C-alpha cells in the first residue's frame, strides 16, 4: 500500500481524529479537541516510529489548523523549525541551538513566530515593536510603543505558547538597524501565566465554523520587557557588549530561500483544495444533473484543468526550492530573483477563488456544512492574504517582468522560467503554425503560443508604462492591464 | 428624528436584540436566541403600535435570519404573506383566507413556503412531489416518490412551522397539470410532533458562524399524505369534485409580479452590504494606512461607486414593482417582460462578490469575526444562488436583449429600460462629444456613452450568436463574450 494511503487510513480509523463534529463544536471545545489531536498525533508518531514523510502526511490528513503546525514543518527539530528554515537550517547559532532545542524537543517550551502587528501585515519594514540595547545590563528591552505595534495574528500565541521569535526594530547607540529576530519568553513555565511586562490574549473567532477557529491566533503587547543580549538571533548579524552592530559574512539573500519554501507549500495546497472541490461538485446529486449544461461545464472544467496544473507546478516548485537552496549554499544568487518572482506569482495565481466558484456551482448544497465546501473555503480563503497579499505579489512579478524586458535590449540573458524571453526576435513576429485541431495536441505548439503571448503582453505593458506621466501612474496602468 | 434612526436606536438599546455574541453561540443556543428575538420583536411591534414601515425597519436592524422572515414580508397579514404576494395579495380565495388568516395572525399556526427539493433548486418545472386527486375521498394525496423529491432548504421547516404551502405536480384523471400550491399541515397543534406520513428535520449547519445558522432550514418527505381538496390554492385554477381541472380567468402573468418584488428586496440589500463593507474598510486602522495606495483605491472605489448605484437602483426598483403591479391589475402586460428581465439582470449584477473583495482589502482583519465581514459575507453569499443562479439569470437577460435586438428590424419599439435601443440609427454611428474632463460632468454625455456601448455590444453579440453552428453553442459564446 502506498504511504499516502496508509496514513489516510491511520487517520480515518482513529476515533480521536474524527472530523464530522468539527463544525458543530463551540470554539472552546474545538480548541480542546485540537490540543487532544495534536498530543495524540505526536504520541502515534513516536509509537509507530513514523518517518518525516509519514508524519507530514499524518498531519496533512488530520487537517486541523493548530499551534503545532509551526513545529511540524520539520520533524524532529520541532520547535522554531519554521524559523530555522527561514535562516536555512543553521539559523540559530550553535550555542543558541544547544540551549533551546532540547527544551523544545521535549515540549518543555512551546514556541511560535511573532512577526505581524495590528497595523502591519505583509509589510515587514513597517513593524513598530522595538528592541533597544541597554549596555548597562547587557540586555535588550522589547517594547510596543503604540497600539498598532501590538503583535496580531500569530498562531499559537493566544493560549499555547511559552516562547516566541519576536521580530522587532533593533536599536543600539540610538540608531535603528531595522527588523531582527529575538527569542522571548512570554509565559511562566510553572503556571503558564503571562510574565510581567507582557499582555497577551486570543484575538477571537474567525471566518467559518471549525476552520481556523481551532487555532489560537493571538495579540501581544510588551511594556519594556528585558531579555539577555544572547537571545538575539545572531546568524546574520549581532550586537556586541560594547553596543556595536556587527554583520556576519552570511549573505542576506539567504532570507529569500524560505519564501520560496512557504509559498511552495501554499501552491501544493491549492491543488488539494481544487481537487476536493471538484470531487464535491461531482458527487452532489444536484450537480450530476446540471453537469450536462454547457454553462456549468464552462465554469467547472477550467477549474479541473487548473487542479492538474497546480498539482504539477506544486511538484516543480519542490524542485525549485531544492535548486535554490543548493545554489544559495554555494553563494550563487544568479537565479534567486527569478525564483522569488516565480513563487510570488504562482502563489497569487493559484489562490484565487476556485472554491467559491465551486460552491456556487453546487447551488444551495455548497452552502451546507455537510458538503465540506464551507469549511474548505474558510480555511483556504486567507491564503489570498497571508504570505503576501495577492495584488501586491502580482505587482511584484509585474515589476520583475518589466525589469527583465528592459534588460533584454542590453543583451542580458534572462534565466529560469523567463529564459524564453531571450528568444524575443522570433517570438515577437512568429505566426502560430496550428492549422488543424490535432495540431494542438503537440505540446511544443501550445508552449510557443503561450511564450509569444506572454512576451508580447509584457512588451506591450512595458510600452504602456513608459508612456505614463509618472512611475506610480504607470504601475496603476499595469494593474489595469492585468484586469482585462 | 428620522424613522430609520428611531428604529435603529430601539434595536441598539434593547438587550434582547444584542448581536455581539451571535458568532459565538452554539447552533442550538443561536436558534433559541432567534426564537426569543422574534417573539420579543413581535411583542414590541404590538406594544408600540408600530406602522408597517417601522416594523420592517425594526426587522431590518434586528438583522437575524429566522423562521418569521417569511411572515414579516407584509405585516399584519403575517402568515403566508409571501405567498399572498406571489399571487398578488388576493391569492388565496376568500373562503381560504377566512379559515387560515385568523389562525396565522394569532400564531396558532406557523407557516412556511416549501418549493425547492433536494434535486431541484431554481428549476421549478423539475419538481417531483406529486399531489394526486382522489375523487373517492375528495382529497389530494401528497407524495414524495424519490429521494431527490424531498423538500430541501425551506426556512422554518426544520423546527418551527406547523403548516406549509407545498408546491407539487397536480395530477388528476391521470394527467399531470404541472406545479401548483397546496396548504398542508405537517405537525400536531397539540404537541408539535410530525403527523403520520410526514418525515421532517433540520438540514444542519451552514456556512459561517452565526449567519444563516439561526434559520431552521429543513428537509421534508411525504408518504401519501391526504389533504382536503379545498386546501389547493385556487386563485389561478382549481380541481372540481368531478376530477376536472378548471382555469380561472386570472392571467398567469400575475405570477411574475412577485419575482420583481423579491428581487427588488435583494438589490436593496446589496446596497446595504456594500455600504457596511466599505464602512468596515474605512474604520480599520490597517486600511486607513493602505487607503493611500492606488492599487487599494482601484479595488475599493469602484465598490464605493457601486454602493451608491445599488442604493439608487434599489429605490427605482420599488417604483418598478408598483408600476408593474398597477399594470397587472389593469391586465396590461406590455412592460412585464422587460421588467422581469430588468430585475433578473440587476439581481445577478448586484450580488457579485463585493464583500469578499472588501474582506481581502482589509487583509487579515477582514477574516476576524470582530470585523463583522465574515458574518456579512456568509449571510449574503447565497444571494448569488437563491432566487435564480446568477449565471442562469444573466443568460435570461442576454436572451431578452437578443430578442429585443432582433425585433428592432421589424420596427417593434422597445419599452422601459430598453427604450434607448429604438434610437439604433443614431447610437450605432454617433461619436462621443466629450473633449475635456469637465464634459464628463454632464450626465447626458455619460448616458449616451453607456447607451451606445450597450447597444453596440448587444448588436455585436447577436451577430456572433447568429454565426454559431447551433443556438446552444451560440448561447455559450454569448456567455464567453460576457466574461471578457
Amino acid at each position: 500500500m502506498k504511504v499516502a494511503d496508509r496514513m489516510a487510513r491511520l487517520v480515518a480509523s482513529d476515533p480521536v481524529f474524527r472530523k464530522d463534529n468539527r463544525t458543530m463544536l463551540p470554539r472552546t471545545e474545538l480548541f480542546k479537541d485540537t490540543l487532544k489531536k495534536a498530543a495524540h498525533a505526536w504520541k502515534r508518531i513516536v509509537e509507530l516510529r513514523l518517518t518525516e514523510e509519514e508524519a507530514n502526511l499524518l498531519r496533512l490528513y488530520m487537517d486541523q489548523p493548530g499551534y503545532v503546525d509551526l513545529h511540524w514543518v520539520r520533524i524532529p527539530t520541532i520547535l522554531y523549525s519554521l524559523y530555522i528554515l527561514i535562516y536555512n537550517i543553521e539559523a540559530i547559532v550553535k550555542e543558541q541551538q544547544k540551549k533551546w532545542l532540547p527544551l523544545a524537543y521535549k515540549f518543555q517550551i512551546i514556541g511560535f513566530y511573532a512577526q505581524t502587528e495590528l497595523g502591519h501585515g505583509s509589510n515587514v519594514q513597517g513593524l513598530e515593536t522595538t528592541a533597544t540595547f541597554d549596555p548597562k545590563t547587557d540586555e535588550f528591552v522589547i517594547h510596543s510603543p503604540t497600539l498598532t505595534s501590538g503583535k496580531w495574528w500569530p498562531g499559537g500565541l493566544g493560549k499555547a505558547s511559552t516562547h516566541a521569535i519576536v521580530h522587532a526594530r533593533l536599536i543600539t547607540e540610538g540608531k535603528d538597524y531595522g527588523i531582527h529576530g529575538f527569542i522571548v519568553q512570554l509565559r511562566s513555565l510553572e503556571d503558564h501565566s503571562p510574565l510581567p511586562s507582557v499582555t497577551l490574549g486570543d484575538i477571537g473567532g474567525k471566518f467559518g465554523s471549525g476552520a481556523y477557529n481551532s487555532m489560537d491566533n493571538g495579540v501581544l503587547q510588551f511594556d519594556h520587557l528585558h531579555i539577555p543580549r544572547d537571545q538575539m538571533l545572531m546568524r546574520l548579524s549581532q550586537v556586541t557588549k560594547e553596543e556595536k552592530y556587527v554583520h556576519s559574512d552570511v549573505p542576506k539573500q539567504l532570507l529569500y530561500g524560505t519564501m520560496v519554501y512557504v509559498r511552495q507549500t501554499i501552491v501544493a495546497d491549492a491543488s488539494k483544495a481544487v481537487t476536493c472541490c471538484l470531487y464535491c461538485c461531482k458527487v452532489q446529486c444536484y450537480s450530476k444533473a446540471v453537469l450536462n449544461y454547457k454553462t456549468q461545464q464552462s465554469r467547472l472544467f477550467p477549474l479541473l484543468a487548473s487542479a492538474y496544473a497546480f498539482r504539477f507546478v506544486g511538484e516543480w516548485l519542490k524542485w525549485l526550492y531544492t535548486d535554490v537552496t543548493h545554489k544559495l549554499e554555494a553563494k550563487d544568487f544568479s537565479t534567486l530573483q527569478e525564483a522569488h518572482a516565480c513563487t510570488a506569482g504562482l502563489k497569487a495565481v493559484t489562490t484565487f477563488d476556485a472554491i467559491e466558484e465551486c460552491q456556487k456551482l453546487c447551488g444551495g448544497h455548497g452552502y451546507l456544512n455537510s458538503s465540506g465546501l464551507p469549511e474548505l473555503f474558510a480555511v483556504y480563503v486567507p491564503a489570498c492574504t497571508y504570505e503576501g497579499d495577492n495584488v501586491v505579489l502580482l505587482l511584484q512579478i509585474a515589476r520583475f517582468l518589466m525589469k527583465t524586458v528592459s534588460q533584454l535590449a542590453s543583451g542580458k540573458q534572462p534565466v529560469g522560467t523567463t529564459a524564453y524571453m531571450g528568444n524575443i526576435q522570433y517570438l515577437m513576429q512568429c505566426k502560430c503554425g496550428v492549422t488543424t485541431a490535432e495540431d494542438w495536441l503537440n505540446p511544443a505548439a501550445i508552449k510557443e503560443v503561450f511564450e509569444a503571448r506572454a512576451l508580447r503582453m509584457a512588451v506591450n505593458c512595458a510600452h504602456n508604462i513608459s508612456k505614463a506621466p509618472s512611475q506610480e501612474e504607470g504601475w496603476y496602468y499595469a494593474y489595469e492591464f492585468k484586469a482585462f
Side-chain angles (χ1 to χ4, degrees), chain A residues 346-414:
Chain A
L346 282 170
K347 185 266 174 183
V349 167
T350 59
T351 56
F352 272 118
D353 313 318
I355 302 175
E356 204 193 344
E357 185 69 6
C358 286
Q359 238 183 336
K360 285 179 193 152
L361 284 165
C362 289
H365 299 303
Y367 190 66
L368 274 180
N369 286 342
S370 54
S371 76
L373 288 169
E375 210 187 353
L376 197 61
F377 179 74
V379 166
Y380 205 67
V381 75
C384 301
T385 301
Y386 59 56
E387 294 299 324
D389 174 85
N390 280 351
V391 170
V392 173
L393 292 182
L394 289 172
L395 279 170
Q396 276 180 13
I397 197 168
R399 228 171 259 128
F400 169 73
L401 287 172
M402 293 308 96
K403 193 174 161 190
T404 309
V405 167
S406 72
Q407 291 175 338
L408 288 175
S410 68
K412 185 176 174 189
Q413 280 305 306

Side-chain angles (χ1 to χ4, degrees), chain A residues 127-135 139-143 145 168-180 182 232 239-240 243-245:
Chain A
L127 296 178
E128 296 177 78
T129 303
T130 51
T132 310
F133 183 61
D134 178 358
E139 288 175 328
F140 285 104
V141 183
I142 311 288
H143 186 58
R169 315 196 75 83
L170 189 159
I171 295 168
T172 182
E173 293 188 306
K175 194 179 158 196
D176 180 342
Y177 285 91
I179 307 303
H180 291 71
F182 302 84
M232 174 182 173
V239 171
T240 66
E243 305 184 63
K244 295 293 168 221
Y245 181 84

